[in-house]
Structures are given as C-alpha cells and as structure tokens.
Amino acid sequence: MGVSKLDILYRRFLLSKLFIQGWGKPDDLRRLFEFRKTIGNREKCQHLVPKDYPIFIDKIEEQADCQIMDGHFVSPLDHYLPGIMPAESIKARFQFIVPKEWKSKYRPVCVHLAGTGDHFYWRRRTLMARPMIKEACMGSLLLENPYYILLKPKDQMRSSLRNVSDLFVMGGALVLESAAILHWLERGGYGPLGMTGISMGGHMASLAASNWPKPIPLVPCLSWSTASGVFTTGVLSKAVNWRELEKQYATETVYEEEIIRLLEYCGADSFKMGQDFVKNSSSTFENLDHRDLATGMLDLNVKREMMRTATVTRFSTDTAALNASTQGILLEGTSHTGCLNHQMSSTNISKYSSSVKHELLKMDKRKASLARESILFMKGVMDECTHIGNFSVPVDPSLIIVVQAKEDAYIPRAGVRSLNEIWPGCEIRYLEGGHISAYLFKQGLFRQAIYDAFDRFLQKYSV
C-alpha cells in the first residue's frame, strides 16, 4: 500500500522543528526508563493513583443541550518524578461535557486525549463531543496534554516539543492523569467509561487503557503499536532536528555508553530490527536532506583523524600556492631543471590531493554512519517508552476497535509489530486514504467505532 500524497504535501507546509534542544538530560532519560518499568506493569501502576485522588471543578457552564465543566488537579507524575515536568504542566486541566438529560440508566463517558497540535478543547468538543451527545447521549471528558496551551513552557514554540524526553514525560503524565480522571468519573456514578484519541492522542489512550484494572472500551484512531516509526521513517521525521540530535549523540558518550544499556526491548529485539531496516534502506537515508551536518559535528571519537585531515588539507593548500608561484616563473622562461622541479611538485600535490580525497571520503562515511546510529538510537528510546508491547495487555482486548488509514504517511506500519498481534482479539478497521484526509473527513467513523465499542461492553458486562 502506498502513502498519501496529501499527507506529504501537508507536512511540507509545516515549517516547525521538533526536538530543537536534543535528546534531553541523560538523568531525565534514566529516570523515565526506570519509571516505564512501573507504568508498563498494570499490577504496579494501578496502585500509583488512589481512587480518591483529589480533582477540582473550577467552572460550570449551562448550555441548551449540555453542561460544560472545567476542572484541574495536580498531575500524579509530579509526585513520583519531581522536577521532571515543566512547572507549567504540573497542574492538569480538563473539560467535562455531559448531556442535560441521560436517556437510559447508564451515563456513558468517553475520555478523549489530544493529538499533536490539538491545543485546548474546541476541536474535540466541536468534532467529537457535541455530536456524541446528539447521536448517542454520551458524555466526553477532554484532557489537555502537558506541554500544550496553558501547560506549555514559555520557550516552547507551538506544539514543537523541545526534547525527545518531553514526549516521554507527556506519556507518563497522561497515563497517570487518565487513571485519576477515570477514578473520579467512577466516584461520580458515570459509566461505562471508555477512552479514545486521534493520532498521538490515540496512542496515549492505548497506553493509559492498558493500565486500567477493569475492562474498558478503547478506540485508538490513526495510531499504531509504536511511535518509533513516526519519528524515523514517517513524514514527521522531516521535522525532527537531526542536526542537534546527531551532534549530541556524537559528542556526549553517555547516550551511547549508558543510555542504550537501559533500553529493554519488547518481543523481538527492536534495536536489531532497526539495524536490519537501516541496512536495507541505506540509500534512502543517504538522500535525506536533513542529514546535512557541519563537519565539526560528525565524529564519534575520531578527532585525531580529523586533525590529521585538517593538517593534510592545509599542507596541500600551501603546496598548491607554492606551485602557482613556480608556474609563474616557468611562464617567464626557466631551465629544464625548473621544469623538472615543477613536475615533481605536481606529482607530490597529486599525491596529497588523493590523500585529502581519501580523508573526505572517510568523513562522508562517518557522516552516514552517525546518521544511521542516531536513527537507531531514536528507534531504541522511542520503542522503550512508547511501544505497546512494553505495556500490559488491556483486560479485555475484544473491547478495542482500532481505526487506521490504509495510506497513512504519518504512522508507518511496516517493520513493526501489528496491534492485533500484541492485543489478540482486538478489531482493526481500515479506512481509505491517509492521515490528513481521515482526520478531516472520517470523524463520523471514529464516533461510530466508539459507539460500537461501548455496545460491546454493555453486551458483555451490563448488569
């Protein structure tokens, strides 16, 4: 199956860069990888957020067909990894939209997590929550992403996370915040409860639902089993600031020597899969325009070779200047001895030029090698924190309906484990078209999948 041209075209209009400050602090990555082992295990994670976790309502707005409540609470992640979240993101915010009247004894509510760039609530409220009230008398709780809108650090541009580690902080926060919200909804007598999201929101919803200790309807839309392909082979990889990532990977040995040892791979060794993928796709990576690096950023502990190359280059330049002077003398008329000296100088310069070319070729190879190693490192850290296989299987996978676009250029499915392999019994619905067209024109199908998942829950678990 090909990829959507609309996805590729749309990406070209977005000029923002991701991860402009690099990988993040090595100590933050260590703490996050260690914490992933806890939230990846449902038995451990379910005890992190108490059932009576405090949540506060700040405002209630009455409308003709619904009631809209705005609320907040302290993100539980701050209790377990203090100092890792930006100060602006510690206070989690949400909007809760419920019908004025419920049409049955049930009060179903779906928690919607936000996709990339989905700041505040208006998109989810307009495209999903309000129609869901009219079509199914279903409430919606819209949880704001850390690093977005009011929760955005002052030096962050729009949705462009500054560090790779920021994405993992966001994921960890949303897993625990979703648990707090689900407990709060249960205390309020709402149910059945489900989760959904589009794109990144769908992936975050998948991680959160995997840690809920009860059967729960889950509808991840336009997401897949891991985010590693999104940032290494999908069209969004063009937005990654590879220049800074490769510079840090080349100069900070801690990433290569210590962080890699902390990675745990799910199922098949994803790092090896990544190596095989890069080896089989080398020509593709060599042609990527974001691999144009400054020479000083290229080396992985080969500084002496670079110094030697620089010395040869300077010597060759000086000799070339001397040769030019000799040529000038020869033009004025010299002896046969002068001509012989000129030929010898030309021979030496040719030899030095060949040496320089050889060193430049070696540098080009090191440049390509560094690009590949950075891609592999990105794949490794992304799989560590985002691969669904590194998290518990939801209690009842038959309540999961995955909605994916056949030609999605943002969420590559090649080379990664399928969701129906990780979640046996889940349903996968494929839509025609790509990521952007599905988001713009298939919202009704997303909602229908939510209704179907909730109906399955009622058929299996209603009292």
Side-chain angles (χ1 to χ4, degrees):
M1 181 63 66
V3 295
S4 166
K5 293 181 180 179
L6 177 60
D7 286 358
I8 298 172
L9 181 64
Y10 183 80
R11 176 57 236 169
R12 288 176 181 171
F13 285 107
L14 302 179
L15 303 178
S16 56
K17 283 286 185 182
L18 294 172
F19 314 135
I20 60 173
Q21 294 183 10
W23 300 102
K25 297 177 182 177
D27 188 55
D28 287 350
L29 288 171
R30 291 190 192 96
R31 296 171 70 193
L32 288 163
F33 292 167
E34 193 65 32
F35 191 64
R36 200 281 306 158
K37 299 173 186 177
T38 300
I39 63 172
N41 184 311
R42 182 166 54 247
E43 296 303 315
K44 296 178 180 179
C45 186
Q46 64 179 299
H47 301 296
L48 297 181
V49 182
K51 293 183 178 180
D52 60 350
Y53 194 85
I55 291 181
F56 308 95
I57 296 298
D58 304 313
K59 184 178 70 172
I60 300 178
E61 180 182 349
E62 301 288 344
Q63 297 200 359
D65 60 340
C66 66
Q67 184 182 71
I68 301 178
M69 291 170 266
D70 289 276
H72 78 276
F73 58 99
V74 175
S75 177
L77 184 66
D78 189 56
H79 301 311
Y80 296 100
L81 296 178
I84 206 165
M85 298 181 75
E88 297 87 348
S89 296
I90 292 175
K91 182 184 288 188
R93 298 180 181 274
F94 65 91
Q95 188 167 92
F96 186 30
I97 306 170
V98 294
K100 275 294 186 64
E101 294 183 7
W102 300 93
K103 295 181 179 179
S104 73
K105 65 177 182 178
Y106 301 107
R107 297 199 292 170
V109 175
C110 189
V111 179
H112 301 249
L113 300 189
T116 302
D118 190 358
H119 293 263
F120 206 56
Y121 312 116
W122 69 269
R123 290 187 199 173
R124 286 173 287 167
R125 185 174 61 235
T126 304
L127 299 176
M128 297 292 284
R130 298 298 289 264
M132 287 169 66
I133 288 177
K134 295 178 181 178
E135 295 169 356
C137 197
M138 183 179 292
S140 294
L141 192 143
L142 317 178
L143 183 61
E144 186 66 272
N145 278 350
Y147 296 92
Y148 276 21
I149 200 71
L150 297 177
L151 313 185
K152 182 172 70 69
K154 293 181 176 62
D155 60 344
Q156 177 183 302
M157 294 293 292
R158 297 183 293 278
S159 312
S160 301
L161 299 180
R162 300 164 299 172
N163 302 287
V164 173
S165 61
D166 292 347
L167 183 66
F168 308 149
V169 173
M170 179 189 290
L174 287 171
V175 167
L176 299 186
E177 290 168 13
S178 296
I181 285 294
L182 290 170
H183 283 312
W184 179 72
L185 290 170
E186 277 196 336
R187 295 201 308 268
Y190 297 98
L193 306 177
M195 296 201 68
T196 191
I198 300 173
S199 191
M200 182 180 71
H203 194 86
M204 297 298 185
S206 298
L207 302 183
S210 71
N211 286 292
W212 187 242
K214 302 176 182 179
I216 184 171
L218 169 65
V219 181
C221 303
L222 308 182
S223 66
W224 202 237
S225 57
T226 177
S228 61
V230 174
F231 298 105
T232 57
T233 60
V235 294
L236 204 59
S237 65
K238 293 282 189 177
V240 173
N241 186 11
W242 290 105
R243 181 187 296 272
E244 181 62 27
L245 294 178
E246 290 169 0
K247 174 185 175 182
Q248 289 185 12
Y249 185 80
T251 57
E252 300 290 338
T253 58
V254 65
Y255 295 108
E256 182 181 11
E257 295 176 359
E258 297 182 32
I259 299 300
I260 284 179
R261 295 194 186 102
L262 299 176
L263 304 183
E264 293 184 354
Y265 306 116
C266 47
D269 187 337
S270 67
F271 205 68
K272 171 125 182 0
M273 290 171 63
Q275 289 176 318
D276 294 340
F277 172 76
V278 172
K279 181 172 65 176
N280 295 331
S281 309
S282 58
S283 60
T284 300
F285 290 119
E286 288 170 359
N287 292 330
L288 291 180
D289 54 8
H290 55 248
R291 299 281 180 253
D292 183 20
L293 301 178
T295 302
M297 301 177 182
L298 304 178
D299 234 339
L300 286 165
N301 301 320
V302 288
K303 292 183 173 59
R304 283 181 295 180
E305 288 184 309
M306 290 182 65
M307 291 175 64
R308 182 164 58 84
T309 301
T311 302
V312 170
T313 303
R314 285 196 299 271
F315 184 76
S316 177
T317 302
D318 294 339
T319 308
L322 177 62
N323 181 49
S325 299
T326 306
Q327 284 181 322
I329 295 173
L330 288 172
L331 288 174
E332 294 175 2
T334 61
S335 64
H336 293 291
T337 303
C339 290
L340 180 60
N341 289 338
H342 167 62
Q343 291 172 355
M344 292 176 63
S345 297
S346 298
T347 302
N348 290 336
I349 291 171
S350 176
K351 181 169 62 176
Y352 286 124
S353 297
S354 176
S355 176
V356 170
K357 288 179 181 178
H358 178 67
E359 292 298 329
L360 290 175
L361 181 61
K362 288 173 63 177
M363 290 177 65
D364 286 341
K365 289 181 178 179
R366 288 197 295 270
K367 176 193 281 190
S369 175
L370 176 56
R372 291 187 181 92
E373 288 191 42
S374 299
I375 290 172
L376 288 175
F377 187 68
M378 175 71 86
K379 179 171 176 56
V381 296
M382 283 290 170
D383 278 343
E384 172 65 26
C385 288
T386 72
H387 203 300
I388 298 298
N390 271 343
F391 291 76
S392 298
V393 176
V395 174
D396 187 350
S398 71
L399 302 179
I400 302 173
I401 301 178
V402 180
V403 185
Q404 180 54 274
K406 290 183 178 179
E407 300 177 359
D408 197 324
Y410 281 80
I411 316 292
R413 298 189 299 277
V416 298
R417 296 175 67 194
S418 173
L419 279 177
N420 51 8
E421 175 189 347
I422 301 170
W423 293 334
C426 75
E427 179 187 351
I428 301 179
R429 298 179 181 179
Y430 290 99
L431 308 179
E432 297 295 333
H435 197 87
I436 301 302
S437 63
Y439 179 83
L440 293 176
F441 307 116
K442 307 294 184 180
Q443 299 275 343
L445 296 178
F446 300 160
R447 297 195 300 272
Q448 186 58 55
I450 294 171
Y451 307 151
D452 293 344
F454 272 74
D455 286 343
R456 288 182 190 176
F457 178 91
L458 292 175
Q459 290 170 12
K460 294 186 71 172
Y461 299 102
S462 62
V463 179

